[in-house]
């Protein structure tokens, strides 16, 4: 299903976890994605992603899914910063078998496998958590060391930007953020009409990874990393059970001078996607 991006978001949007949001573009869920001809004379980014859910601390999502994921491709200092933010990040081949493949094919969420096209070098919001009554954690600062975040009525996610890299690869940058209610805001604070909400970004915990079209970027947390951004974003209580999430995505740069045709029918990430409307 394809829907034109752009919609009003109030505080109720805190429940729209797992959705991308930009000023435009196309979001869709299907078993085989069509790479769209760019609608302008500029290059575009094509993104596939899936949010996986299992019981928090389960061996499959908390340990074995990472067996064939390369977490060492990031510099040591970056890994230290990400760990302090409660984030695990790595890259794997899209053909890698095993526990991660089983999780991708059976995510057990109502979000399905999704895709989006949007402009290069333009951030897209990726909502990871649901509506949290409260979130509190230290977060790495850009210059002044760790800061403390503590707010009620919060949603957590990333600003995701795709840039063209050499040899057909894509540079994917993610900046963590928290959106929360701010009763001091009596008027809409952005053109989309969010009332009484503000967004705080955490550039000190930002990271970027360069991936090829046949690689997957894997982002999650460790169930033991409590009181961190990553743990708050990727674990949650749903009804009477605790769940842990894993985000898997692929990014492809589509050049306007070489518009893509045909289907990416070999993409395993979308192999069992179910048609589902965008929230």
């Amino acid at each position: 299903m394809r829907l034109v991006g752009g919609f009003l978001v109030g505080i109720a949007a805190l429940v729209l976890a797992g959705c991308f949001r930009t000023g435009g573009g196309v979001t869709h869920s299907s078993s085989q994605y069509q790479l769209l001809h760019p609608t302008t004379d500029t290059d575009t980014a094509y993104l596939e992603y899936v949010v996986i859910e299992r019981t928090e601390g389960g061996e499959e999502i908390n340990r074995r899914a990472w067996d064939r994921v390369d977490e060492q491709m990031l510099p040591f200092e970056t890994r230290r910063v990400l760990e302090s933010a409660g984030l695990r990040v790595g890259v794997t081949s899209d053909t890698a078998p095993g526990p991660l493949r089983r999780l991708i094919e059976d995510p057990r969420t109502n979000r399905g496998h999704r895709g989006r096209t949007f402009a290069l070098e333009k951030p897209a919001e990726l909502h990871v958590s649901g509506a949290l009554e409260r979130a509190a954690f230290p977060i790495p600062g850009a210059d002044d060391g760790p800061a403390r975040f503590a707010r009620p009525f919060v949603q957590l996610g990333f600003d995701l930007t795709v840039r063209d890299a050499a040899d057909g690869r894509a540079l994917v940058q993610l900046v963590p953020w928290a959106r929360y209610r701010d009763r001091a805001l009596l008027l809409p604070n952005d053109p989309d009409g969010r009332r009484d909400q503000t967004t705080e970004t955490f550039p000190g915990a930002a990271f970027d990874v360069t991936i090829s079209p046949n690689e997957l970027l894997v982002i999650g947390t460790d169930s033991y990393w409590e009181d961190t951004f990553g743990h708050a974003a990727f674990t949650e209580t749903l009804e009477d059970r605790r769940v842990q999430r894993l985000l898997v995505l692929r990014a492809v740069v589509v050049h306007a001078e070489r518009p893509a045709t045909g289907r990416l029918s070999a993409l395993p990430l979308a192999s069992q996607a179910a048609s589902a409307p965008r929230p």
Side-chain angles (χ1 to χ4, degrees), residues 192-205:
D192 296 311
R194 290 194 187 99
R195 295 179 183 274
D196 74 355
Q197 293 184 66
T198 190
T199 301
E200 184 174 343
T201 59
F202 307 118

Side-chain angles (χ1 to χ4, degrees), residues 226-253:
E226 298 179 348
D227 301 319
T228 62
F229 169 89
H231 191 272
F234 286 91
T235 68
E236 191 173 348
T237 299
L238 296 181
E239 298 178 348
D240 59 347
R241 64 190 182 99
R242 290 286 298 173
V243 300
Q244 183 172 345
R245 298 187 178 99
L246 195 64
L247 171 65
V248 183
L249 62 87
R250 175 205 312 281
V252 179
V253 175

Side-chain angles (χ1 to χ4, degrees), residues 84-155:
S84 69
L87 292 169
R88 294 186 72 174
V89 178
V91 172
T92 188
S93 167
D94 63 5
T95 60
L100 180 60
R101 172 60 50 212
R102 291 194 294 271
L103 292 174
I104 290 172
E105 293 178 346
D106 182 21
R108 299 185 188 175
T109 66
N110 60 2
R111 306 171 194 178
H113 299 71
R114 296 181 179 271
R116 185 171 185 95
T117 56
F118 55 94
L120 288 178
E121 303 188 13
K122 182 176 181 179
E125 291 182 356
L126 174 55
H127 301 230
V128 177
S129 79
L132 306 176
E133 290 187 6
R134 182 174 177 82
F137 45 80
I139 192 74
D143 301 309
D144 303 325
R148 181 75 183 175
F149 176 88
R151 292 277 183 174
F153 308 113
V154 179
Q155 185 178 31

